[in-house]
Amino acid sequence: MNTIKTPSKIILFGEHAVVDGYPAISMALDLKTTGEIEENFDTISIDLVDLNEIFEITPELIKNLEISNFSPALKYVVCAVKSVIFYLSEFKNLKEIKPFKLKLYSEIPLSCGLGSSASVVVTVIRSISNFYGIELDNDETINLAYSVEKEVQGRASVTDTATISLGGMIEIVNGEYKPMPKNLEEFIKTCKFLVVNVEERTRKTAELVHDVSKHPEKEQIFEEIGKIIQNVRQVTGKAELGKLMNENHELLRKFGISTEKLDLVAKAGQKYAYGGKLTGAGGGGSAIILLKEDREELLKELKKIGVIGIYECKMAN
């Protein structure tokens, strides 16, 4: 049995500004999806263990499979299986589609802006290519995963698939991505974060992006966020990094995309840790806090606020 582990991701800085061509910083997290693959007797079998969903098909039918009839979670997986097998057959000289059994497990909370679907898709692509003994480079994996996300969702960002495929930290500008400076990555490795699933989102990403695009101070706020990211590149201390997170949160608040509960969590991060901010589109969802060693008071405060979930994590390579 082969095992593949794939990280999740979080936006550390620059959400919304990235839509207008300003940079954003994304980081892989060690909350992971695990894929276990082995040879099977006569069918391709997919088992989403956490969701108790199983799918089976004979190898000769997989390339023509219609994904629209499946549950949301299975859509991503089935589309990824179909896409990677087609790619390996057409471009990598895969002669025989041998049957396999793939089990998928995930530590990543769903619909929290942590890239759970991209993590599953990359896990499927790498598990199957490894099973057939064909190596895909990072660009091939990123492009395949991006095409799957786009097919299932109708639109997608390369940010999730690139961060999850490459690991570490990347900077995204105008849909292009590049690694962050090595000294910054080495520093971030020493940091521990708390990802807080604060509340269910009540507004869709498209609606939030539209509201931000119409804000009268948009350009000024985006320029300020751009300056924060310039400062992040030079950062060497946790207090300094936390301060920049706090500043980014305050700028996002000006757009009206934070919520009362997100603000309470960010304030708790500012009071009991080095800093905290919302992450992702806003309108509910998640926040990220840069932890100090003593986190007892912080955890008490988050319990009092009544958040959905708390996940301690660090950057994944």
PDB file of all heavy atoms in Angstrom, residues 282-312:
ATOM      1  N   GLY A 282     -13.999  36.418   4.201  1.00  0.00           N
ATOM      2  CA  GLY A 282     -14.728  37.103   5.262  1.00  0.00           C
ATOM      3  C   GLY A 282     -16.192  36.732   5.257  1.00  0.00           C
ATOM      4  O   GLY A 282     -16.584  35.699   4.723  1.00  0.00           O
ATOM      5  N   GLY A 283     -17.017  37.585   5.906  1.00  0.00           N
ATOM      6  CA  GLY A 283     -18.440  37.269   6.006  1.00  0.00           C
ATOM      7  C   GLY A 283     -18.705  36.066   6.880  1.00  0.00           C
ATOM      8  O   GLY A 283     -19.662  35.320   6.672  1.00  0.00           O
ATOM      9  N   GLY A 284     -17.861  35.861   7.882  1.00  0.00           N
ATOM     10  CA  GLY A 284     -17.860  34.622   8.671  1.00  0.00           C
ATOM     11  C   GLY A 284     -16.647  33.800   8.278  1.00  0.00           C
ATOM     12  O   GLY A 284     -15.699  34.319   7.682  1.00  0.00           O
ATOM     13  N   GLY A 285     -16.677  32.520   8.596  1.00  0.00           N
ATOM     14  CA  GLY A 285     -15.556  31.657   8.210  1.00  0.00           C
ATOM     15  C   GLY A 285     -14.486  31.586   9.277  1.00  0.00           C
ATOM     16  O   GLY A 285     -14.797  31.432  10.458  1.00  0.00           O
ATOM     17  N   SER A 286     -13.225  31.771   8.881  1.00  0.00           N
ATOM     18  CA  SER A 286     -12.107  31.455   9.757  1.00  0.00           C
ATOM     19  C   SER A 286     -11.229  32.652  10.077  1.00  0.00           C
ATOM     20  O   SER A 286     -11.223  33.658   9.365  1.00  0.00           O
ATOM     21  CB  SER A 286     -11.230  30.375   9.100  1.00  0.00           C
ATOM     22  OG  SER A 286     -11.965  29.202   8.899  1.00  0.00           O
ATOM     23  N   ALA A 287     -10.465  32.484  11.164  1.00  0.00           N
ATOM     24  CA  ALA A 287      -9.434  33.446  11.553  1.00  0.00           C
ATOM     25  C   ALA A 287      -8.161  32.672  11.849  1.00  0.00           C
ATOM     26  O   ALA A 287      -8.198  31.457  12.099  1.00  0.00           O
ATOM     27  CB  ALA A 287      -9.876  34.229  12.788  1.00  0.00           C
ATOM     28  N   ILE A 288      -7.021  33.367  11.814  1.00  0.00           N
ATOM     29  CA  ILE A 288      -5.742  32.747  12.148  1.00  0.00           C
ATOM     30  C   ILE A 288      -5.057  33.588  13.219  1.00  0.00           C
ATOM     31  O   ILE A 288      -5.069  34.821  13.158  1.00  0.00           O
ATOM     32  CB  ILE A 288      -4.843  32.553  10.904  1.00  0.00           C
ATOM     33  CG1 ILE A 288      -3.538  31.857  11.307  1.00  0.00           C
ATOM     34  CG2 ILE A 288      -4.592  33.854  10.154  1.00  0.00           C
ATOM     35  CD1 ILE A 288      -2.734  31.308  10.146  1.00  0.00           C
ATOM     36  N   ILE A 289      -4.509  32.910  14.227  1.00  0.00           N
ATOM     37  CA  ILE A 289      -3.852  33.558  15.361  1.00  0.00           C
ATOM     38  C   ILE A 289      -2.424  33.042  15.455  1.00  0.00           C
ATOM     39  O   ILE A 289      -2.180  31.830  15.325  1.00  0.00           O
ATOM     40  CB  ILE A 289      -4.625  33.251  16.669  1.00  0.00           C
ATOM     41  CG1 ILE A 289      -6.001  33.923  16.632  1.00  0.00           C
ATOM     42  CG2 ILE A 289      -3.839  33.707  17.900  1.00  0.00           C
ATOM     43  CD1 ILE A 289      -6.925  33.513  17.769  1.00  0.00           C
ATOM     44  N   LEU A 290      -1.470  33.952  15.666  1.00  0.00           N
ATOM     45  CA  LEU A 290      -0.066  33.593  15.875  1.00  0.00           C
ATOM     46  C   LEU A 290       0.144  33.386  17.375  1.00  0.00           C
ATOM     47  O   LEU A 290       0.038  34.323  18.164  1.00  0.00           O
ATOM     48  CB  LEU A 290       0.846  34.692  15.330  1.00  0.00           C
ATOM     49  CG  LEU A 290       2.353  34.514  15.532  1.00  0.00           C
ATOM     50  CD1 LEU A 290       2.854  33.194  14.956  1.00  0.00           C
ATOM     51  CD2 LEU A 290       3.109  35.693  14.921  1.00  0.00           C
ATOM     52  N   LEU A 291       0.441  32.154  17.775  1.00  0.00           N
ATOM     53  CA  LEU A 291       0.419  31.748  19.176  1.00  0.00           C
ATOM     54  C   LEU A 291       1.663  32.152  19.955  1.00  0.00           C
ATOM     55  O   LEU A 291       2.776  32.164  19.427  1.00  0.00           O
ATOM     56  CB  LEU A 291       0.271  30.229  19.272  1.00  0.00           C
ATOM     57  CG  LEU A 291      -1.108  29.649  18.925  1.00  0.00           C
ATOM     58  CD1 LEU A 291      -1.023  28.138  18.824  1.00  0.00           C
ATOM     59  CD2 LEU A 291      -2.155  30.067  19.952  1.00  0.00           C
ATOM     60  N   LYS A 292       1.452  32.431  21.245  1.00  0.00           N
ATOM     61  CA  LYS A 292       2.530  32.463  22.228  1.00  0.00           C
ATOM     62  C   LYS A 292       2.577  31.093  22.906  1.00  0.00           C
ATOM     63  O   LYS A 292       1.699  30.262  22.708  1.00  0.00           O
ATOM     64  CB  LYS A 292       2.256  33.554  23.271  1.00  0.00           C
ATOM     65  CG  LYS A 292       2.379  34.974  22.723  1.00  0.00           C
ATOM     66  CD  LYS A 292       2.118  36.007  23.809  1.00  0.00           C
ATOM     67  CE  LYS A 292       2.358  37.421  23.267  1.00  0.00           C
ATOM     68  NZ  LYS A 292       2.017  38.459  24.252  1.00  0.00           N
ATOM     69  N   GLU A 293       3.610  30.868  23.717  1.00  0.00           N
ATOM     70  CA  GLU A 293       3.724  29.565  24.394  1.00  0.00           C
ATOM     71  C   GLU A 293       2.531  29.319  25.320  1.00  0.00           C
ATOM     72  O   GLU A 293       1.968  28.239  25.346  1.00  0.00           O
ATOM     73  CB  GLU A 293       5.039  29.488  25.191  1.00  0.00           C
ATOM     74  CG  GLU A 293       6.261  29.229  24.325  1.00  0.00           C
ATOM     75  CD  GLU A 293       6.118  28.011  23.424  1.00  0.00           C
ATOM     76  OE1 GLU A 293       5.713  26.939  23.934  1.00  0.00           O
ATOM     77  OE2 GLU A 293       6.368  28.116  22.215  1.00  0.00           O
ATOM     78  N   ASP A 294       2.164  30.325  26.103  1.00  0.00           N
ATOM     79  CA  ASP A 294       1.035  30.179  27.027  1.00  0.00           C
ATOM     80  C   ASP A 294      -0.255  30.515  26.283  1.00  0.00           C
ATOM     81  O   ASP A 294      -0.455  31.655  25.861  1.00  0.00           O
ATOM     82  CB  ASP A 294       1.227  31.116  28.231  1.00  0.00           C
ATOM     83  CG  ASP A 294       0.087  30.978  29.240  1.00  0.00           C
ATOM     84  OD1 ASP A 294      -0.752  30.078  29.069  1.00  0.00           O
ATOM     85  OD2 ASP A 294       0.041  31.792  30.186  1.00  0.00           O
ATOM     86  N   ARG A 295      -1.122  29.537  26.111  1.00  0.00           N
ATOM     87  CA  ARG A 295      -2.349  29.773  25.342  1.00  0.00           C
ATOM     88  C   ARG A 295      -3.616  29.490  26.142  1.00  0.00           C
ATOM     89  O   ARG A 295      -4.716  29.465  25.599  1.00  0.00           O
ATOM     90  CB  ARG A 295      -2.332  28.931  24.066  1.00  0.00           C
ATOM     91  CG  ARG A 295      -2.227  27.450  24.308  1.00  0.00           C
ATOM     92  CD  ARG A 295      -1.543  26.766  23.159  1.00  0.00           C
ATOM     93  NE  ARG A 295      -0.174  27.217  23.044  1.00  0.00           N
ATOM     94  CZ  ARG A 295       0.714  26.706  22.206  1.00  0.00           C
ATOM     95  NH1 ARG A 295       0.379  25.723  21.427  1.00  0.00           N
ATOM     96  NH2 ARG A 295       1.933  27.166  22.152  1.00  0.00           N
ATOM     97  N   GLU A 296      -3.468  29.281  27.455  1.00  0.00           N
ATOM     98  CA  GLU A 296      -4.606  28.905  28.290  1.00  0.00           C
ATOM     99  C   GLU A 296      -5.701  29.978  28.285  1.00  0.00           C
ATOM    100  O   GLU A 296      -6.877  29.685  28.084  1.00  0.00           O
ATOM    101  CB  GLU A 296      -4.118  28.663  29.728  1.00  0.00           C
ATOM    102  CG  GLU A 296      -5.151  27.952  30.586  1.00  0.00           C
ATOM    103  CD  GLU A 296      -4.620  27.626  31.987  1.00  0.00           C
ATOM    104  OE1 GLU A 296      -3.416  27.350  32.132  1.00  0.00           O
ATOM    105  OE2 GLU A 296      -5.438  27.694  32.916  1.00  0.00           O
ATOM    106  N   GLU A 297      -5.305  31.250  28.487  1.00  0.00           N
ATOM    107  CA  GLU A 297      -6.283  32.337  28.520  1.00  0.00           C
ATOM    108  C   GLU A 297      -6.942  32.531  27.158  1.00  0.00           C
ATOM    109  O   GLU A 297      -8.137  32.823  27.066  1.00  0.00           O
ATOM    110  CB  GLU A 297      -5.615  33.641  28.984  1.00  0.00           C
ATOM    111  CG  GLU A 297      -5.175  33.646  30.433  1.00  0.00           C
ATOM    112  CD  GLU A 297      -6.328  33.381  31.391  1.00  0.00           C
ATOM    113  OE1 GLU A 297      -7.431  33.929  31.174  1.00  0.00           O
ATOM    114  OE2 GLU A 297      -6.136  32.598  32.347  1.00  0.00           O
ATOM    115  N   LEU A 298      -6.163  32.366  26.102  1.00  0.00           N
ATOM    116  CA  LEU A 298      -6.698  32.480  24.746  1.00  0.00           C
ATOM    117  C   LEU A 298      -7.778  31.431  24.509  1.00  0.00           C
ATOM    118  O   LEU A 298      -8.865  31.739  24.001  1.00  0.00           O
ATOM    119  CB  LEU A 298      -5.574  32.324  23.716  1.00  0.00           C
ATOM    120  CG  LEU A 298      -6.003  32.217  22.250  1.00  0.00           C
ATOM    121  CD1 LEU A 298      -6.700  33.489  21.780  1.00  0.00           C
ATOM    122  CD2 LEU A 298      -4.803  31.915  21.352  1.00  0.00           C
ATOM    123  N   LEU A 299      -7.487  30.194  24.868  1.00  0.00           N
ATOM    124  CA  LEU A 299      -8.452  29.110  24.646  1.00  0.00           C
ATOM    125  C   LEU A 299      -9.725  29.326  25.464  1.00  0.00           C
ATOM    126  O   LEU A 299     -10.835  29.055  24.987  1.00  0.00           O
ATOM    127  CB  LEU A 299      -7.819  27.760  24.984  1.00  0.00           C
ATOM    128  CG  LEU A 299      -6.653  27.340  24.064  1.00  0.00           C
ATOM    129  CD1 LEU A 299      -5.989  26.074  24.578  1.00  0.00           C
ATOM    130  CD2 LEU A 299      -7.125  27.152  22.624  1.00  0.00           C
ATOM    131  N   LYS A 300      -9.564  29.847  26.689  1.00  0.00           N
ATOM    132  CA  LYS A 300     -10.743  30.178  27.515  1.00  0.00           C
ATOM    133  C   LYS A 300     -11.603  31.231  26.825  1.00  0.00           C
ATOM    134  O   LYS A 300     -12.834  31.143  26.801  1.00  0.00           O
ATOM    135  CB  LYS A 300     -10.289  30.721  28.881  1.00  0.00           C
ATOM    136  CG  LYS A 300      -9.923  29.664  29.903  1.00  0.00           C
ATOM    137  CD  LYS A 300      -9.588  30.362  31.219  1.00  0.00           C
ATOM    138  CE  LYS A 300      -8.913  29.399  32.180  1.00  0.00           C
ATOM    139  NZ  LYS A 300      -8.362  30.114  33.359  1.00  0.00           N
ATOM    140  N   GLU A 301     -10.937  32.255  26.276  1.00  0.00           N
ATOM    141  CA  GLU A 301     -11.649  33.351  25.614  1.00  0.00           C
ATOM    142  C   GLU A 301     -12.384  32.850  24.368  1.00  0.00           C
ATOM    143  O   GLU A 301     -13.534  33.229  24.121  1.00  0.00           O
ATOM    144  CB  GLU A 301     -10.658  34.459  25.242  1.00  0.00           C
ATOM    145  CG  GLU A 301     -11.282  35.717  24.696  1.00  0.00           C
ATOM    146  CD  GLU A 301     -12.136  36.469  25.705  1.00  0.00           C
ATOM    147  OE1 GLU A 301     -11.965  36.268  26.930  1.00  0.00           O
ATOM    148  OE2 GLU A 301     -13.000  37.247  25.260  1.00  0.00           O
ATOM    149  N   LEU A 302     -11.729  31.980  23.591  1.00  0.00           N
ATOM    150  CA  LEU A 302     -12.372  31.438  22.380  1.00  0.00           C
ATOM    151  C   LEU A 302     -13.570  30.568  22.730  1.00  0.00           C
ATOM    152  O   LEU A 302     -14.584  30.570  22.035  1.00  0.00           O
ATOM    153  CB  LEU A 302     -11.348  30.638  21.558  1.00  0.00           C
ATOM    154  CG  LEU A 302     -10.210  31.457  20.940  1.00  0.00           C
ATOM    155  CD1 LEU A 302      -9.212  30.537  20.254  1.00  0.00           C
ATOM    156  CD2 LEU A 302     -10.726  32.501  19.960  1.00  0.00           C
ATOM    157  N   LYS A 303     -13.455  29.849  23.841  1.00  0.00           N
ATOM    158  CA  LYS A 303     -14.583  29.027  24.300  1.00  0.00           C
ATOM    159  C   LYS A 303     -15.760  29.930  24.681  1.00  0.00           C
ATOM    160  O   LYS A 303     -16.917  29.639  24.375  1.00  0.00           O
ATOM    161  CB  LYS A 303     -14.139  28.180  25.491  1.00  0.00           C
ATOM    162  CG  LYS A 303     -15.136  27.102  25.883  1.00  0.00           C
ATOM    163  CD  LYS A 303     -14.587  26.201  26.973  1.00  0.00           C
ATOM    164  CE  LYS A 303     -15.602  25.120  27.321  1.00  0.00           C
ATOM    165  NZ  LYS A 303     -15.138  24.245  28.412  1.00  0.00           N
ATOM    166  N   LYS A 304     -15.437  31.056  25.342  1.00  0.00           N
ATOM    167  CA  LYS A 304     -16.462  32.015  25.753  1.00  0.00           C
ATOM    168  C   LYS A 304     -17.159  32.621  24.522  1.00  0.00           C
ATOM    169  O   LYS A 304     -18.370  32.823  24.507  1.00  0.00           O
ATOM    170  CB  LYS A 304     -15.801  33.128  26.573  1.00  0.00           C
ATOM    171  CG  LYS A 304     -16.765  33.911  27.465  1.00  0.00           C
ATOM    172  CD  LYS A 304     -16.082  35.096  28.109  1.00  0.00           C
ATOM    173  CE  LYS A 304     -14.958  34.659  29.054  1.00  0.00           C
ATOM    174  NZ  LYS A 304     -14.298  35.859  29.657  1.00  0.00           N
ATOM    175  N   ILE A 305     -16.365  32.915  23.483  1.00  0.00           N
ATOM    176  CA  ILE A 305     -16.925  33.487  22.245  1.00  0.00           C
ATOM    177  C   ILE A 305     -17.848  32.474  21.553  1.00  0.00           C
ATOM    178  O   ILE A 305     -18.837  32.835  20.929  1.00  0.00           O
ATOM    179  CB  ILE A 305     -15.782  33.929  21.295  1.00  0.00           C
ATOM    180  CG1 ILE A 305     -15.021  35.116  21.900  1.00  0.00           C
ATOM    181  CG2 ILE A 305     -16.319  34.305  19.915  1.00  0.00           C
ATOM    182  CD1 ILE A 305     -13.696  35.419  21.214  1.00  0.00           C
ATOM    183  N   GLY A 306     -17.508  31.182  21.686  1.00  0.00           N
ATOM    184  CA  GLY A 306     -18.351  30.131  21.112  1.00  0.00           C
ATOM    185  C   GLY A 306     -18.050  29.829  19.658  1.00  0.00           C
ATOM    186  O   GLY A 306     -18.932  29.880  18.802  1.00  0.00           O
ATOM    187  N   VAL A 307     -16.774  29.529  19.364  1.00  0.00           N
ATOM    188  CA  VAL A 307     -16.378  29.215  17.993  1.00  0.00           C
ATOM    189  C   VAL A 307     -16.717  27.758  17.662  1.00  0.00           C
ATOM    190  O   VAL A 307     -16.964  26.949  18.557  1.00  0.00           O
ATOM    191  CB  VAL A 307     -14.872  29.500  17.776  1.00  0.00           C
ATOM    192  CG1 VAL A 307     -14.569  30.965  18.049  1.00  0.00           C
ATOM    193  CG2 VAL A 307     -13.997  28.605  18.664  1.00  0.00           C
ATOM    194  N   ILE A 308     -16.685  27.433  16.381  1.00  0.00           N
ATOM    195  CA  ILE A 308     -17.061  26.084  15.943  1.00  0.00           C
ATOM    196  C   ILE A 308     -15.931  25.082  16.172  1.00  0.00           C
ATOM    197  O   ILE A 308     -16.151  23.959  16.606  1.00  0.00           O
ATOM    198  CB  ILE A 308     -17.459  26.083  14.449  1.00  0.00           C
ATOM    199  CG1 ILE A 308     -18.695  26.957  14.229  1.00  0.00           C
ATOM    200  CG2 ILE A 308     -17.716  24.664  13.945  1.00  0.00           C
ATOM    201  CD1 ILE A 308     -19.033  27.204  12.768  1.00  0.00           C
ATOM    202  N   GLY A 309     -14.697  25.489  15.839  1.00  0.00           N
ATOM    203  CA  GLY A 309     -13.558  24.564  15.945  1.00  0.00           C
ATOM    204  C   GLY A 309     -12.244  25.292  16.065  1.00  0.00           C
ATOM    205  O   GLY A 309     -12.115  26.448  15.629  1.00  0.00           O
ATOM    206  N   ILE A 310     -11.260  24.624  16.690  1.00  0.00           N
ATOM    207  CA  ILE A 310      -9.931  25.204  16.902  1.00  0.00           C
ATOM    208  C   ILE A 310      -8.904  24.169  16.485  1.00  0.00           C
ATOM    209  O   ILE A 310      -8.963  23.008  16.892  1.00  0.00           O
ATOM    210  CB  ILE A 310      -9.728  25.556  18.403  1.00  0.00           C
ATOM    211  CG1 ILE A 310     -10.739  26.627  18.845  1.00  0.00           C
ATOM    212  CG2 ILE A 310      -8.316  26.042  18.664  1.00  0.00           C
ATOM    213  CD1 ILE A 310     -10.788  26.827  20.347  1.00  0.00           C
ATOM    214  N   TYR A 311      -7.922  24.603  15.668  1.00  0.00           N
ATOM    215  CA  TYR A 311      -6.920  23.676  15.121  1.00  0.00           C
ATOM    216  C   TYR A 311      -5.527  24.285  15.265  1.00  0.00           C
ATOM    217  O   TYR A 311      -5.236  25.306  14.644  1.00  0.00           O
ATOM    218  CB  TYR A 311      -7.218  23.395  13.639  1.00  0.00           C
ATOM    219  CG  TYR A 311      -8.630  22.936  13.399  1.00  0.00           C
ATOM    220  CD1 TYR A 311      -9.649  23.880  13.178  1.00  0.00           C
ATOM    221  CD2 TYR A 311      -8.965  21.588  13.424  1.00  0.00           C
ATOM    222  CE1 TYR A 311     -10.958  23.478  12.979  1.00  0.00           C
ATOM    223  CE2 TYR A 311     -10.281  21.179  13.229  1.00  0.00           C
ATOM    224  CZ  TYR A 311     -11.271  22.134  12.999  1.00  0.00           C
ATOM    225  OH  TYR A 311     -12.569  21.730  12.812  1.00  0.00           O
ATOM    226  N   GLU A 312      -4.710  23.669  16.092  1.00  0.00           N
ATOM    227  CA  GLU A 312      -3.334  24.150  16.228  1.00  0.00           C
ATOM    228  C   GLU A 312      -2.515  23.563  15.077  1.00  0.00           C
ATOM    229  O   GLU A 312      -2.593  22.368  14.786  1.00  0.00           O
ATOM    230  CB  GLU A 312      -2.732  23.734  17.565  1.00  0.00           C
ATOM    231  CG  GLU A 312      -1.387  24.394  17.810  1.00  0.00           C
ATOM    232  CD  GLU A 312      -0.873  24.240  19.229  1.00  0.00           C
ATOM    233  OE1 GLU A 312      -1.675  24.180  20.172  1.00  0.00           O
ATOM    234  OE2 GLU A 312       0.362  24.184  19.385  1.00  0.00           O
TER     235      GLU A 312
END
